[in-house]
mmCIF file of all heavy atoms in Angstrom:
data_model
loop_
_atom_site.group_PDB
_atom_site.id
_atom_site.type_symbol
_atom_site.label_atom_id
_atom_site.label_comp_id
_atom_site.label_asym_id
_atom_site.label_seq_id
_atom_site.Cartn_x
_atom_site.Cartn_y
_atom_site.Cartn_z
ATOM 1 N N TYR A 142 -183.406 -4.898 336.903
ATOM 2 C CA TYR A 142 -182.411 -4.092 337.590
ATOM 3 C C TYR A 142 -182.323 -2.655 337.023
ATOM 4 O O TYR A 142 -182.361 -1.656 337.828
ATOM 5 C CB TYR A 142 -181.077 -4.728 337.534
ATOM 6 C CG TYR A 142 -179.870 -3.777 338.035
ATOM 7 C CD1 TYR A 142 -179.703 -3.566 339.306
ATOM 8 C CD2 TYR A 142 -179.176 -3.038 337.062
ATOM 9 C CE1 TYR A 142 -178.825 -2.566 339.829
ATOM 10 C CE2 TYR A 142 -178.337 -2.137 337.516
ATOM 11 C CZ TYR A 142 -178.084 -1.906 338.897
ATOM 12 O OH TYR A 142 -177.093 -1.007 339.257
ATOM 13 N N THR A 143 -182.213 -2.536 335.711
ATOM 14 C CA THR A 143 -182.005 -1.159 335.130
ATOM 15 C C THR A 143 -183.122 -0.247 335.493
ATOM 16 O O THR A 143 -182.844 0.937 335.827
ATOM 17 C CB THR A 143 -181.844 -1.254 333.623
ATOM 18 O OG1 THR A 143 -180.965 -2.299 333.344
ATOM 19 C CG2 THR A 143 -181.547 0.054 332.966
ATOM 20 N N HIS A 146 -183.063 0.565 339.164
ATOM 21 C CA HIS A 146 -181.950 1.357 339.420
ATOM 22 C C HIS A 146 -182.361 2.886 339.038
ATOM 23 O O HIS A 146 -182.069 3.746 339.799
ATOM 24 C CB HIS A 146 -180.708 0.955 338.668
ATOM 25 C CG HIS A 146 -179.553 1.892 338.553
ATOM 26 N ND1 HIS A 146 -178.770 2.105 339.604
ATOM 27 C CD2 HIS A 146 -179.100 2.666 337.539
ATOM 28 C CE1 HIS A 146 -177.866 3.076 339.248
ATOM 29 N NE2 HIS A 146 -178.041 3.294 338.049
ATOM 30 N N SER A 147 -182.993 2.953 337.862
ATOM 31 C CA SER A 147 -183.370 4.306 337.393
ATOM 32 C C SER A 147 -184.342 4.941 338.418
ATOM 33 O O SER A 147 -184.169 6.151 338.694
ATOM 34 C CB SER A 147 -184.056 4.238 336.020
ATOM 35 O OG SER A 147 -183.101 3.579 335.164
ATOM 36 N N VAL A 150 -182.468 5.894 341.652
ATOM 37 C CA VAL A 150 -181.584 7.041 341.506
ATOM 38 C C VAL A 150 -182.470 8.311 341.414
ATOM 39 O O VAL A 150 -182.102 9.355 341.993
ATOM 40 C CB VAL A 150 -180.731 6.828 340.208
ATOM 41 C CG1 VAL A 150 -180.072 8.132 339.831
ATOM 42 C CG2 VAL A 150 -179.685 5.718 340.393
ATOM 43 N N CYS A 175 -182.857 12.113 335.653
ATOM 44 C CA CYS A 175 -182.391 10.970 336.462
ATOM 45 C C CYS A 175 -183.092 9.656 335.965
ATOM 46 O O CYS A 175 -182.503 8.551 335.984
ATOM 47 C CB CYS A 175 -182.658 11.122 337.895
ATOM 48 S SG CYS A 175 -181.466 12.440 338.499
ATOM 49 N N HIS A 178 -181.334 8.512 332.966
ATOM 50 C CA HIS A 178 -179.845 8.732 332.918
ATOM 51 C C HIS A 178 -179.128 7.589 332.189
ATOM 52 O O HIS A 178 -178.055 7.872 331.555
ATOM 53 C CB HIS A 178 -179.239 8.945 334.269
ATOM 54 C CG HIS A 178 -179.111 7.822 335.253
ATOM 55 N ND1 HIS A 178 -180.221 7.289 335.845
ATOM 56 C CD2 HIS A 178 -178.042 6.990 335.451
ATOM 57 C CE1 HIS A 178 -179.689 6.206 336.561
ATOM 58 N NE2 HIS A 178 -178.453 5.983 336.328
ATOM 59 N N ASP A 179 -179.516 6.333 332.369
ATOM 60 C CA ASP A 179 -178.781 5.297 331.758
ATOM 61 C C ASP A 179 -179.468 4.749 330.365
ATOM 62 O O ASP A 179 -179.228 3.663 329.957
ATOM 63 C CB ASP A 179 -178.727 4.069 332.688
ATOM 64 C CG ASP A 179 -177.519 4.258 333.601
ATOM 65 O OD1 ASP A 179 -176.543 4.942 333.229
ATOM 66 O OD2 ASP A 179 -177.566 3.603 334.675
ATOM 67 N N LYS A 182 -177.615 2.943 327.767
ATOM 68 C CA LYS A 182 -177.151 1.476 327.925
ATOM 69 C C LYS A 182 -177.956 0.574 326.940
ATOM 70 O O LYS A 182 -177.536 -0.553 326.770
ATOM 71 C CB LYS A 182 -177.396 1.087 329.427
ATOM 72 C CG LYS A 182 -176.311 1.606 330.242
ATOM 73 C CD LYS A 182 -176.306 1.022 331.601
ATOM 74 C CE LYS A 182 -175.128 1.505 332.453
ATOM 75 N NZ LYS A 182 -175.300 1.170 333.898
ATOM 76 N N HIS A 207 -172.102 5.241 326.966
ATOM 77 C CA HIS A 207 -173.596 5.298 327.146
ATOM 78 C C HIS A 207 -174.147 6.653 327.462
ATOM 79 O O HIS A 207 -175.257 7.023 327.072
ATOM 80 C CB HIS A 207 -174.096 4.172 328.145
ATOM 81 C CG HIS A 207 -173.851 4.534 329.597
ATOM 82 N ND1 HIS A 207 -172.692 4.213 330.282
ATOM 83 C CD2 HIS A 207 -174.642 5.171 330.516
ATOM 84 C CE1 HIS A 207 -172.783 4.647 331.510
ATOM 85 N NE2 HIS A 207 -173.962 5.258 331.698
ATOM 86 N N HIS A 233 -173.660 12.459 333.873
ATOM 87 C CA HIS A 233 -173.820 11.841 335.208
ATOM 88 C C HIS A 233 -172.608 10.939 335.572
ATOM 89 O O HIS A 233 -172.605 10.363 336.661
ATOM 90 C CB HIS A 233 -175.102 10.991 335.219
ATOM 91 C CG HIS A 233 -175.139 9.747 334.479
ATOM 92 N ND1 HIS A 233 -175.422 9.716 333.063
ATOM 93 C CD2 HIS A 233 -174.882 8.419 334.751
ATOM 94 C CE1 HIS A 233 -175.337 8.482 332.610
ATOM 95 N NE2 HIS A 233 -175.030 7.645 333.664
ATOM 96 N N HIS A 234 -171.628 10.745 334.708
ATOM 97 C CA HIS A 234 -170.358 10.131 335.056
ATOM 98 C C HIS A 234 -169.148 11.008 335.206
ATOM 99 O O HIS A 234 -167.999 10.604 335.243
ATOM 100 C CB HIS A 234 -170.132 8.934 334.117
ATOM 101 C CG HIS A 234 -170.956 7.765 334.409
ATOM 102 N ND1 HIS A 234 -170.744 6.993 335.450
ATOM 103 C CD2 HIS A 234 -171.941 7.258 333.668
ATOM 104 C CE1 HIS A 234 -171.735 5.984 335.428
ATOM 105 N NE2 HIS A 234 -172.525 6.122 334.395
ATOM 106 N N CYS A 258 -177.325 13.550 340.446
ATOM 107 C CA CYS A 258 -177.640 12.223 339.792
ATOM 108 C C CYS A 258 -176.338 11.321 340.006
ATOM 109 O O CYS A 258 -176.491 10.191 340.313
ATOM 110 C CB CYS A 258 -177.896 12.438 338.321
ATOM 111 S SG CYS A 258 -178.196 10.950 337.433
ATOM 112 N N ALA A 261 -176.157 9.888 343.583
ATOM 113 C CA ALA A 261 -177.287 8.865 343.792
ATOM 114 C C ALA A 261 -176.964 7.650 342.978
ATOM 115 O O ALA A 261 -177.184 6.516 343.428
ATOM 116 C CB ALA A 261 -178.549 9.506 343.386
ATOM 117 N N ASP A 262 -176.402 7.829 341.816
ATOM 118 C CA ASP A 262 -176.081 6.670 340.941
ATOM 119 C C ASP A 262 -175.060 5.823 341.542
ATOM 120 O O ASP A 262 -175.175 4.541 341.559
ATOM 121 C CB ASP A 262 -175.531 7.263 339.541
ATOM 122 C CG ASP A 262 -175.290 6.182 338.545
ATOM 123 O OD1 ASP A 262 -176.029 5.211 338.468
ATOM 124 O OD2 ASP A 262 -174.366 6.301 337.824
ATOM 125 N N VAL A 263 -173.941 6.384 342.014
ATOM 126 C CA VAL A 263 -172.826 5.592 342.692
ATOM 127 C C VAL A 263 -173.423 4.807 343.857
ATOM 128 O O VAL A 263 -173.160 3.646 344.013
ATOM 129 C CB VAL A 263 -171.647 6.510 343.024
ATOM 130 C CG1 VAL A 263 -170.673 5.941 344.038
ATOM 131 C CG2 VAL A 263 -170.894 6.994 341.840
ATOM 132 N N ASN A 265 -176.470 3.960 344.627
ATOM 133 C CA ASN A 265 -177.350 2.868 344.340
ATOM 134 C C ASN A 265 -176.571 1.706 343.693
ATOM 135 O O ASN A 265 -176.944 0.545 344.041
ATOM 136 C CB ASN A 265 -178.465 3.384 343.399
ATOM 137 C CG ASN A 265 -179.520 2.245 343.172
ATOM 138 O OD1 ASN A 265 -179.575 1.679 342.175
ATOM 139 N ND2 ASN A 265 -180.358 1.963 344.202
ATOM 140 N N ALA A 266 -175.687 1.934 342.783
ATOM 141 C CA ALA A 266 -174.994 0.889 342.150
ATOM 142 C C ALA A 266 -174.173 0.040 343.106
ATOM 143 O O ALA A 266 -174.169 -1.250 343.096
ATOM 144 C CB ALA A 266 -174.072 1.467 341.111
HETATM 145 FE FE1 FE2 B 31 -176.737 4.456 336.465
#
Side-chain angles (χ1 to χ4, degrees):
Y142 167 78
T143 308
H146 169 70
S147 303
V150 168
C175 290
H178 77 278
D179 276 337
K182 283 192 178 170
H207 79 270
H233 73 275
H234 284 288
C258 182
D262 186 33
V263 165
N265 185 257

